Amino acid sequence: MFHGPRFDVYAEDDQGIIYDFEMQNEDQHDLAERISIYQGNLSRQALYAGQPFKKRKRTVVFFICDHDPYGLGWPSYTLKVELVGCPNFSVDNKETNVIVNLKTAVSQLTQAQREMVAYFNDGTVSGAFSQKLASAVAEIKADAIRGGIYMTIEEYAALKSAYAREQGEEAGKEAERIKTITGLAALDMSRAQIIEFLKTNMDLSEEQAQAAYDNAMAAHA
């Protein structure tokens, strides 16, 4: 089973640029790996089948962090692809990755950035920009559909597959228990003896063993 991300906020502007905004409340020391997974999922939506690769849409991932992932105090960090040996030579693969540091010193921020940091840190609405931000968040929260947690198609398929496998395994165990119980009953073992056997050999609790016995005998009746 492969890991598929759930997007916090997914958007596309009138120029066709695709955006993903993520909140990261905990430093789990895997930010670069997380970003690559989210970019990978966006990239799959950035080019239609049959289109030339030059038509790939630009994809932008923002991770808004309540910690400073690199400890430099910068308001934001932009990750890019470099040509090894030529650090000043940028490779534009139409992927942009930005990490926003909510714990930066506000003195180095623009007014809009200050409002954003204050809003995400403690919910303060202090100007026109943060008012628009708060209104957008309220609109999404009020929408029961968009406010829900979405799964990717791959995650949904994997979940359904795992559930079906689990159900199949449980059905197989149930059939095995019924066969065992009816077989023991045919050997004139008592209910108490069979229940004890199930507890010892099938790792069932007293209640589970009793229910298994009753179900098996009812099905065999």
Side-chain angles (χ1 to χ4, degrees):
M1 183 190 303
F2 295 102
H3 192 290
R6 294 182 178 88
F7 296 136
D8 284 352
V9 178
Y10 172 93
E12 185 170 346
D13 66 16
D14 55 6
Q15 297 180 3
I17 301 174
I18 303 172
Y19 299 89
D20 168 42
F21 295 85
E22 299 295 322
M23 290 296 300
Q24 188 69 24
N25 297 322
E26 230 180 295
D27 188 2
Q28 298 182 354
H29 306 288
D30 59 0
L31 202 51
E33 292 84 354
R34 283 175 180 266
I35 288 174
S36 70
I37 294 298
Y38 280 86
Q39 268 292 359
N41 210 59
L42 285 185
S43 296
R44 298 175 59 185
Q45 304 171 51
L47 190 70
Y48 292 111
Q51 282 188 311
F53 290 108
K54 289 288 287 183
K55 292 290 185 181
R56 182 200 190 281
K57 294 180 180 179
R58 186 169 294 278
T59 53
V60 184
V61 172
F62 283 91
F63 262 78
I64 302 172
C65 300
D66 69 350
H67 57 276
D68 187 343
Y70 300 116
L72 299 176
W74 296 0
S76 64
Y77 302 94
T78 300
L79 310 184
K80 65 179 183 179
V81 179
E82 288 183 354
L83 185 64
V84 175
C86 301
N88 295 322
F89 188 94
S90 258
V91 178
D92 185 11
N93 59 356
K94 293 191 175 180
E95 293 182 4
T96 301
N97 302 300
V98 180
I99 300 167
V100 178
N101 172 20
L102 293 179
K103 298 307 181 187
T104 189
V106 296
S107 58
Q108 53 186 323
L109 302 180
T110 65
Q111 178 59 33
Q113 288 172 332
R114 290 182 186 184
E115 290 184 34
M116 181 191 71
V117 167
Y119 179 78
F120 280 114
N121 277 328
D122 56 25
T124 300
V125 175
S126 55
F129 177 80
S130 52
Q131 180 59 61
K132 289 181 180 179
L133 185 60
S135 297
V137 170
E139 181 183 347
I140 292 175
K141 284 184 176 179
D143 188 320
I145 296 176
R146 285 189 297 168
I149 298 176
Y150 285 87
M151 287 187 179
T152 63
I153 295 298
E154 291 80 10
E155 281 185 298
Y156 181 78
L159 183 63
K160 294 290 285 184
S161 174
Y163 178 74
R165 185 168 60 249
E166 181 180 318
Q167 291 293 96
E169 290 173 355
E170 187 55 40
K173 290 178 182 177
E174 180 67 18
E176 180 186 351
R177 283 196 292 264
I178 291 174
K179 184 177 179 181
T180 299
I181 292 167
T182 55
L184 295 175
L187 295 174
D188 293 327
M189 287 182 67
S190 68
R191 182 178 188 274
Q193 288 174 318
I194 294 175
I195 288 173
E196 191 60 34
F197 178 92
L198 296 175
K199 288 163 57 180
T200 303
N201 296 280
M202 292 192 170
D203 198 27
L204 299 180
S205 67
E206 178 73 27
E207 293 76 13
Q208 289 172 329
Q210 290 178 5
Y213 177 88
D214 294 341
N215 291 337
M217 299 309 293
H220 193 62

